[in-house]
Amino acid sequence: MVVKASQDDPEKARRFREAALPYLDDAYTLARYLLRDAADAEDAVQECYLRAFKHFDSYRGPAMKPWLFAILRNVCRAEYARRKTAPTAVEELPEGGDQTPLWNEAPETPERQLLRRFDGDTVRKLVAALAEPFRETFVLREIQNLSYREIADVAAVPVGTVMSRLARARAMLRSAWLAEQEQVK
Amino acid sequence: MNCEEAEVLVHALIDGELDAGHAREVEAHIEGCAHCAALMKEYQEIRQAIAESDVRYKAPLELRRKIEKALPQPQAAPTRRSVLRGFAMGSAVSAMAATGLVAIVLRNDDEQRVENEVVSAHLRSLQAGHLIDVVSTDQHTVKPWFNGKLDVSPPVIDLTAQGFTLIGGRLDYVNAREIGAVVYKRRQHVINLFVAQTANTERKSAKISTLQGFNIRRWSDRGLNYWAVSDLGADELTEFGDKFESAMHANKEG
Ligand SMILES: [Zn+2]
């Protein structure tokens, strides 16, 4: 029929919108936890979507959500690097920090405590207080529901590393949870 | 298996990532080890608590707008123009027939695209904590909340007596602009009623369609386009639309 030069871009944009925009809240949630700052998270997600659109032609999978997250994670890491040179650096565990043995976190004789339920703000605070790279792994698993394989792809690490990071993350969160519980008692 | 191994593998067990053989090994260890059994129970409880609390964030509307703005704009209007121009510039098909044909093809195209977006917006709204910006079962609270936020506030009608409970309203983003969503519930089913202004004041009677497992009842009346989206069955969604429309008409006459 009659069609059409120069419609590739709007057509690409339409497909991109449909594929990627439903994950905007997910991406924003991840960025909030990675950067712990609302304005930085907003910038990072915007940058992520622009990069994703640019590379959308070459997108063949995996699922859209982990693909976007991998891009977003790189954007956030660039932001970490920028902050490191800025006066207020973000705390991050030194290289190899995730090798610390687990049993440091788990008490010797766990007495069966009843876990308290906290409101959303408190839970967010506890999760946000986890050190990297455990926070990232934890959020991808528990809040974004990614599989170990997908997390490994997003974070560019072996699945075994995902497992040990997640174990550490949960152990740390458990300790923090119990401590918070003591405090509000 | 010793505790050290179990303390790592127990997470994969909780997450359903272990193969059957390893799962059995971890389970066997846990049966004989109070320490690991207690840990696993706590991890599961924490996991449950997180799943049930509001730990997600909602992207600010401003961010959505900025991203939309940076993308090439939807091509609905330009396409129509360029196609018509194409016909005018020498198609063998008679202009009348062609225009009619093109209008039908494009309208369907457009409608399909917008319906896709409406379903995406519905899905987004179902995520924890995203359903409602203003929570109220009172139409006199919900209606004024929209004032000043949109060019045209959507009509907010209490249908509780008719079996559809008004639970609130929300601003949403569909077809590259902000629109209002009025939220109802029947039993555990959410109905999002999206309302957008249109230049076309012609009344269009309701059409039911299904997309990604959701039913959509779409109609137009007095310069407003409506999309009611829900996982309710088509019969109940039709009932919702019928009750809404007759309440609208009663309002106008009364
Ligand atoms: Zn054990």
Side-chain angles (χ1 to χ4, degrees), chain A residues 2 22 32 34 40-42 44 52 60 75 79 88-89 101 110 113 142 149 168 183:
Chain A
V2 250
R32 282 293 295 263
L34 291 185
D40 286 349
E42 213 173 301
R60 300 278 179 279
V75 174
E79 171 63 19
T88 50
Q113 298 208 41
E142 297 287 45
R149 180 73 256 163
R168 271 272 282 165
Q183 241 176 33

Side-chain angles (χ1 to χ4, degrees), chain B residues 20-180:
Chain B
H22 283 95
R24 266 194 303 277
E25 275 184 55
V26 179
E27 280 162 354
H29 175 90
I30 282 169
E31 256 172 54
C33 174
H35 169 87
C36 289
L39 272 181
M40 172 154 141
K41 188 121 206 299
E42 284 185 358
Y43 289 139
Q44 280 171 322
E45 280 177 27
I46 291 178
R47 176 151 205 237
Q48 186 68 23
I50 286 178
E52 285 168 11
S53 51
D54 183 18
V55 291
R56 303 175 50 80
Y57 294 88
K58 183 170 178 169
L61 213 48
E62 183 55 28
L63 171 61
R64 194 174 287 275
R65 199 180 293 131
K66 276 191 279 184
I67 292 172
E68 285 280 359
K69 234 171 120 180
L71 296 174
Q73 283 313 296
Q75 78 288 30
T79 305
R80 185 170 307 180
R81 257 201 311 282
S82 55
V83 172
L84 287 177
R85 198 180 317 124
F87 276 107
M89 286 184 340
S91 161
V93 190
S94 90
M96 275 285 268
T99 311
L101 179 69
V102 168
I104 290 163
V105 169
L106 289 181
R107 191 155 59 229
N108 287 342
D109 244 27
D110 251 15
E111 271 175 24
Q112 184 74 38
R113 180 175 57 78
V114 173
E115 281 186 359
N116 266 315
E117 287 196 28
V118 162
V119 168
S120 297
H122 178 75
L123 274 168
R124 273 201 307 275
S125 79
L126 298 181
Q127 294 170 348
H130 293 196
L131 186 58
I132 304 176
D133 291 332
V134 54
V135 183
S136 175
T137 54
D138 182 355
Q139 53 181 326
H140 304 296
T141 305
V142 178
K143 172 86 183 163
W145 180 86
F146 281 110
N147 290 343
K149 295 192 175 67
L150 294 165
D151 294 341
V152 173
S153 302
V156 179
I157 294 184
D158 186 359
L159 294 173
T160 309
Q162 287 89 332
F164 298 93
T165 317
L166 173 68
I167 58 170
R170 183 180 76 250
L171 282 186
D172 217 312
Y173 208 86
V174 167
N175 202 16
R177 59 195 190 129
E178 284 178 276
I179 70 170

Side-chain angles (χ1 to χ4, degrees), chain A residues 70-135:
Chain A
I71 297 172
L72 179 59
R73 181 180 184 275
N74 288 334
V75 174
C76 291
R77 292 200 80 75
E79 171 63 19
Y80 285 154
R82 192 191 64 75
R83 286 184 189 177
K84 276 219 175 93
T85 61
T88 50
V90 278
E91 130 281 340
E92 208 176 341
L93 283 203
E95 208 50 45
D98 41 330
Q99 304 309 317
T100 320
L102 283 170
W103 53 88
N104 282 358
E105 261 76 29
E108 295 300 317
T109 49
E111 284 169 27
R112 192 65 197 94
Q113 298 208 41
L114 240 116
L115 276 175
R116 240 183 93 111
R117 289 296 174 102
F118 296 118
D119 56 73
D121 281 347
T122 306
V123 178
R124 287 185 200 202
K125 190 191 77 186
L126 291 174
V127 173
L130 291 173
E132 285 296 9
F134 310 107
R135 191 186 336 135

